[in-house]
Amino acid sequence: MKRILVGALGALALTATAAIAEYPEKEIQGIIQWGAGGSTDTVMRSVTPHAEEALGGTVVMQNMTGAVGAIALNHVAGSAADGYTLLMGAENPMLYKIMGLGDKDYGEFIPISILARGTPILVANPDAPFNDYAEMIAHIKENPGEVKFGSTGPGGLPSVINAMIGAVEGELDVTSVPYDGDGPALTGLQGGAIDVMPAVLGAAIEGIRAGNMKPLAVMDVAANEQLPDAPYVTQFNEAYSTYLPWGPFFGVFVPKGTPDDVVAKLADAYAAGAQHPDFVQLMNDRGFTLMGISGEEADAFLTKWQQGTAWLLQDAGLTKASPEEFGIARPGE
């Protein structure tokens, strides 16, 4: 009897191991948080075919929009934790709780890969009376209320960067001019309607190269390969390192509880996809910084990103709920 039981258990273990080894046995669903043609959609549809080759399976991608990405997140969070439903998203869920948009974030998930992040940059109209970050700060202090900054609403990149500047430099007296997106804002900048715009590098780089706007500072801790001559902000004030590197990011996630072996297979596949020359070229052309991180490194990045962003927005009076309510610590605490 004992021998039969041991044999049965051994057979069961072999069956379970074989099932994991055969993953994926069917199509995987990739749920993209945003609509067709947007940045998240472009990134995911560019990297996934290369990940499929490494995985030996098929990922069928579907755009699921609505509620600033929360519909897609909730859909995947409620799916089976078996590796057959992936969430392909951006940074927005990390702000859902404090902005009153939902009660879940990436804490419900395991990061398969944080693929890349956008790099913020401060750009100015070519005729602005300052040529770098330090000159801009000095001019603002000498001319309160005169400098016009573009904005795109609470939670957007400009609002976070403006809050970051305020946290590091103290309150600055500038005039905020609202726009419906960074595209119209950058058009307004080039036309002289505003003086300064915080933007993602990919959206501004062609205008910079054409001489239609000038870079004041890359909001990062090192020079950017796409604009190697542009100064980076910690050259002017090291205090920014508390919050940087920062930027909108793109990642692939699965619900917590997904088997470790499946997570490892997916992570390896997307790591390979992120290194494919075609994907690397796309990211470089769009001014994104490649990351390709998973596991503890990805968790640490997400934690720092959420802490810094949530408290910057809280201190700027732009949140609907305090980060404290959700156990989000201040940076450095």
Side-chain angles (χ1 to χ4, degrees):
M1 180 70 180
K2 183 176 180 182
R3 186 177 301 165
I4 294 171
L5 180 59
V6 170
L9 290 172
L12 182 62
L14 286 172
T15 301
T17 302
I20 292 172
E22 291 168 5
Y23 172 85
E25 295 181 302
K26 60 182 181 179
E27 290 182 341
I28 300 167
Q29 301 299 309
I31 305 300
I32 302 174
Q33 275 186 322
W34 301 100
S39 294
T40 305
D41 183 68
T42 299
V43 168
M44 296 306 167
R45 292 186 186 277
S46 298
V47 72
T48 297
H50 307 307
E52 286 177 320
E53 292 179 14
L55 187 62
T58 301
V59 180
V60 179
M61 287 173 280
Q62 173 189 352
N63 298 93
M64 187 176 291
T65 62
V68 198
I71 290 177
L73 181 137
N74 290 332
H75 173 82
V76 179
S79 67
D82 56 7
Y84 287 101
T85 309
L86 313 180
L87 178 64
M88 298 175 162
E91 71 283 352
N92 309 75
M94 300 307 279
L95 302 178
Y96 284 169
K97 293 177 179 179
I98 64 166
M99 302 304 289
L101 297 172
D103 58 1
K104 292 182 173 67
D105 58 23
Y106 288 137
E108 310 279 332
F109 295 84
I110 299 169
I112 294 300
S113 179
I114 307 299
L115 295 160
R117 64 174 173 84
T119 302
I121 186 170
L122 278 180
V123 289
N125 179 278
D127 297 327
F130 35 80
N131 294 307
D132 63 25
Y133 175 87
E135 291 181 8
M136 179 197 75
I137 294 297
H139 185 84
I140 290 171
K141 291 180 177 179
E142 293 168 4
N143 302 274
E146 178 184 297
V147 177
K148 297 186 287 294
F149 267 64
S151 66
T152 58
L157 181 146
S159 70
V160 176
I161 294 301
N162 289 337
M164 197 181 296
I165 294 171
V168 170
E169 300 289 354
E171 186 174 351
L172 298 174
D173 188 353
V174 301
T175 299
S176 180
V177 180
Y179 285 90
D180 185 19
D182 58 0
L186 289 171
T187 298
L189 179 80
Q190 294 173 73
I194 55 176
D195 304 300
V196 178
M197 181 64 191
V200 69
L201 178 62
I205 194 165
E206 292 306 320
I208 294 170
R209 288 171 174 165
N212 296 326
M213 59 185 80
K214 56 187 176 184
L216 302 177
V218 177
M219 302 300 288
D220 210 338
V221 296
N224 189 278
E225 292 182 2
Q226 300 302 306
L227 287 175
D229 295 330
Y232 53 95
V233 75
T234 51
Q235 288 178 300
F236 301 106
N237 193 325
E238 181 60 31
Y240 278 102
S241 60
T242 298
Y243 305 103
L244 299 174
W246 183 91
F249 61 84
F250 309 99
V252 179
F253 303 84
V254 292
K256 280 189 172 177
T258 300
D260 291 345
D261 294 67
V262 172
V263 170
K265 277 196 167 186
L266 285 167
D268 288 346
Y270 272 93
Q275 293 170 5
H276 192 280
D278 291 349
F279 183 69
V280 172
Q281 185 65 50
L282 176 73
M283 295 297 94
N284 287 338
D285 289 347
R286 293 186 170 230
F288 294 129
T289 298
L290 285 163
M291 298 181 70
I293 59 174
S294 59
E296 293 182 359
E297 188 177 6
D299 285 332
F301 170 81
L302 292 170
T303 297
K304 181 176 180 178
W305 195 100
Q306 186 178 51
Q307 289 177 338
T309 311
W311 281 101
L312 283 171
L313 294 174
Q314 168 72 10
D315 292 342
L318 299 175
T319 61
K320 292 189 176 181
S322 170
E324 280 185 322
E325 295 181 27
F326 309 103
I328 301 172
R330 278 188 179 273
E333 290 184 358

